[in-house]
Amino acid sequence: MNQVKTTPAHAQRRPWNDPKVRSLVFQVIALFAVGWAGWTLFQNTLANMESRGISTGFGFLDESAGFGIIMSLIPYDATMTYGRTFLVGLLNTLLVSAMGIVAATILGFLIGVARLSSNWLVAKLALVYVETLRNLPLLLQIFFWYFAVLRNLPAPRQSVELGGTVFLNNRGLYIPEPLSQPGFGWVIAAAVIAIVAAVVITRWARKRQIKTGQLFPTFRVNLAILILLPALAYFATGGPLSWEIPELRGFNFGGGITIIPELAALWVALSLYTASFIAEIVRSGILAVSKGQTEAAQALGLRSGMTMRLVVIPQAMRVIVPPLTSQYLNLTKNSSLATAIGYPDLVGVFMGTTLNQTGQAVEVVAMTMAVFLTISLSISALMNIYNRSVALQER
C-alpha cells in the first residue's frame, strides 16, 4: 500500500508558509528598496548642486519676483514675492480648469445625446464635430483660436460694441464689473437660503415621487426660488450693487472685468476638444442601457425627453462617470499647454519665469508636480464619491 506523506505540524506553523506573511515581507522589502533609491537620488542631487554652487531650500519664495503678470485673480505687482507668483499661477490654472470642466461637460452631454438623435442632420453634424475635433492635436486647436481668430479681431478703437457696456477687441473682452455696496450681504444670504431651499425641495420631491409616483414641478419651483428670493432681498435693501463700465482710455480700455485672449483661446480649445471625448462617453453610456427600459417608459406614456432624463440618463451615469473622471484629469493636465500662448498658469509663471530667474529647479519642479498631483487626486476623490452615489444599490 502507498503511504501518504504528511507535513509535520511544526512545519505547517512556520510563518513563512503563510501567503499573507510572505506577501507582507516582500512588500516591506520593495518599499525599503524604493525608499533607499529615492533617498540616494536625493542625496546625489544635493551633492551635485552644492558642488556647482547652487543653493537649495525654499527661502527664494520670500524674495521679490521683479516681473509682472498679465492676469491675476488676486492683487499682484512686480514688487511681490515668488511665493505670490506661485499663488497667482495656481489660481489661474484652477480657473481655466474649472471653466473647461463645466463647459466640456455641458457641451459633451449635448453632443453625445445629439449623436443618437433620430434627426439625420443633427446626428451627422454631431458625428462631424466629434470626429473632427478629437482627431486634431490640442495644441494646434489652441493656436487656431488664439492666432487665427482672437488675434485678428479689431484694435481697441474699432472694438465690437454691445449696448455701450461690452467691448470686444484683439486685447480681450471687456465687461462691466459688479461693485457691492453696504447691504449686499443680505442679498448673498438670501441667495444661500434659496440654494438650501432648492436642495431640500429636490430631495423632498424625489422621496414623494418614490412613495406616491406623483411628479412635482421641481425645476420650475426651484428656478422661481433662486430668482425671486435674492431679487426681493436686492430691492428691499435698495439695490446695493453698482456697475463699473469699461471705457476707452488712450490706446486701451480701463475699468470693468477683462477676459484676456489667452484665457479665452485656452478655455475654448480645452472645452471643445474634451467635449468631443465626453460626447462619445455619453453616447456609449446611453447605449449601455437596455432598450427595454426605453420601451417600458414609452409604454407608461412618458415622452421621449422625460424618458431620457428620468429613465435612461440615471442608469447610464454609472457607466459614464468612470471614464468621465479620466477626461476631467486630462483637461486639467492639458491646461499646462497654456505656456504656448502666454497664458499665466502655474507652469508658465512658476515653472517658467520663476525657475529661470531663481535657478531653484528641484524645488520649483517638485512644487509644481505636487500641485498637479493634489488637483488630480482631489478630482478623483470627488468623482468617486459621486460615482458611489449613482451606483446601483443592492437590496
Side-chain angles (χ1 to χ4, degrees):
M1 296 180 61
N2 296 330
Q3 295 182 352
V4 179
K5 295 181 179 181
T6 59
T7 304
H10 67 277
Q12 293 179 356
R13 290 193 299 269
R14 290 176 181 173
W16 188 249
N17 293 330
D18 189 345
K20 293 182 179 180
V21 174
R22 290 200 303 269
S23 175
L24 180 61
V25 170
F26 286 133
Q27 291 181 52
V28 170
I29 294 174
L31 182 61
F32 176 79
V34 172
W36 176 82
W39 178 254
T40 302
L41 180 62
F42 177 72
Q43 291 295 328
N44 288 339
T45 302
L46 292 181
N48 292 333
M49 293 176 65
E50 185 177 358
S51 65
R52 290 168 173 77
I54 301 176
S55 60
T56 58
F58 295 92
F60 73 97
L61 293 175
D62 296 324
E63 300 175 3
S64 177
F67 64 90
I69 300 176
I70 61 174
M71 173 186 164
S72 175
L73 298 179
I74 56 177
Y76 175 82
D77 59 59
T79 62
M80 294 186 177
T81 63
Y82 288 117
R84 193 72 169 184
T85 66
F86 172 79
L87 292 178
V88 171
L90 172 61
L91 291 177
N92 288 344
T93 294
L94 294 176
L95 173 65
V96 72
S97 299
M99 292 172 57
I101 286 174
V102 172
T105 301
I106 296 174
L107 183 59
F109 266 80
L110 293 176
I111 299 297
V113 174
R115 288 275 281 115
L116 300 173
S117 174
S118 57
N119 186 301
W120 182 88
L121 180 60
V122 171
K124 293 305 178 183
L125 288 176
L127 174 63
V128 170
Y129 171 88
V130 170
E131 294 300 331
T132 300
L133 291 185
R134 73 173 181 173
N135 288 303
L136 291 175
L138 176 57
L139 185 59
L140 180 61
Q141 297 186 41
I142 295 175
F143 284 157
F144 169 78
W145 287 105
Y146 184 66
F147 292 107
V149 178
L150 298 180
R151 278 303 179 186
N152 286 323
L153 291 173
R157 292 185 179 275
Q158 292 79 37
S159 298
V160 178
E161 181 180 340
L162 179 61
T165 57
V166 179
F167 304 90
L168 177 64
N169 54 60
N170 58 10
R171 296 188 182 180
L173 175 66
Y174 300 84
I175 60 177
E177 180 181 4
L179 301 175
S180 61
Q181 305 296 330
F184 189 72
W186 291 104
V187 180
I188 297 177
V192 172
I193 294 174
I195 293 174
V196 173
V199 172
V200 172
I201 290 175
T202 301
R203 292 184 175 180
W204 169 82
R206 186 180 295 114
K207 292 180 180 179
R208 176 175 177 265
Q209 181 182 352
I210 293 174
K211 290 181 179 179
T212 65
Q214 297 178 353
L215 292 175
F216 184 79
T218 306
F219 177 77
R220 286 176 290 181
V221 172
N222 287 343
L223 183 62
I225 293 175
L226 293 173
I227 294 176
L228 293 179
L229 194 57
L232 289 175
Y234 176 82
F235 289 111
T237 53
L241 186 67
S242 61
W243 296 88
E244 183 183 29
I245 307 299
E247 58 181 13
L248 186 62
R249 301 172 184 172
F251 296 101
N252 201 1
F253 281 84
I257 298 176
T258 304
I259 302 176
I260 60 175
E262 291 80 6
L263 171 61
L266 182 64
W267 174 55
V268 171
L270 285 174
S271 301
L272 296 179
Y273 179 76
T274 308
S276 63
F277 291 91
I278 293 178
E280 286 300 281
I281 293 172
V282 172
R283 184 179 72 91
S284 63
I286 293 175
L287 291 178
V289 178
S290 173
K291 191 175 181 180
Q293 297 289 319
T294 303
E295 294 173 346
Q298 293 173 348
L300 293 174
L302 294 180
R303 296 187 298 272
S304 58
M306 296 183 66
T307 299
M308 181 65 68
R309 180 168 57 89
L310 300 176
V311 178
V312 178
I313 293 297
Q315 297 184 68
M317 288 304 296
R318 67 180 188 271
V319 179
I320 293 174
V321 170
L324 183 63
T325 303
S326 297
Q327 292 305 317
Y328 288 169
L329 298 178
N330 290 338
L331 187 148
T332 303
K333 291 179 286 189
N334 287 337
S335 67
S336 60
L337 293 173
T339 187
I341 57 174
Y343 175 71
D345 74 323
L346 183 64
V347 174
V349 171
F350 193 65
M351 208 175 79
T353 308
T354 299
L355 173 58
N356 290 333
Q357 292 191 181
T358 62
Q360 306 290 141
V362 175
E363 295 84 352
V364 171
V365 173
M367 290 177 65
T368 306
M369 292 174 61
V371 165
F372 277 99
L373 178 61
T374 302
I375 295 174
S376 297
L377 293 178
S378 300
I379 293 175
S380 298
L382 292 175
M383 293 301 292
N384 286 336
I385 293 173
Y386 178 72
N387 189 35
R388 286 194 294 269
S389 68
V390 300
L392 292 178
Q393 303 293 333
E394 297 183 359
R395 298 182 179 179

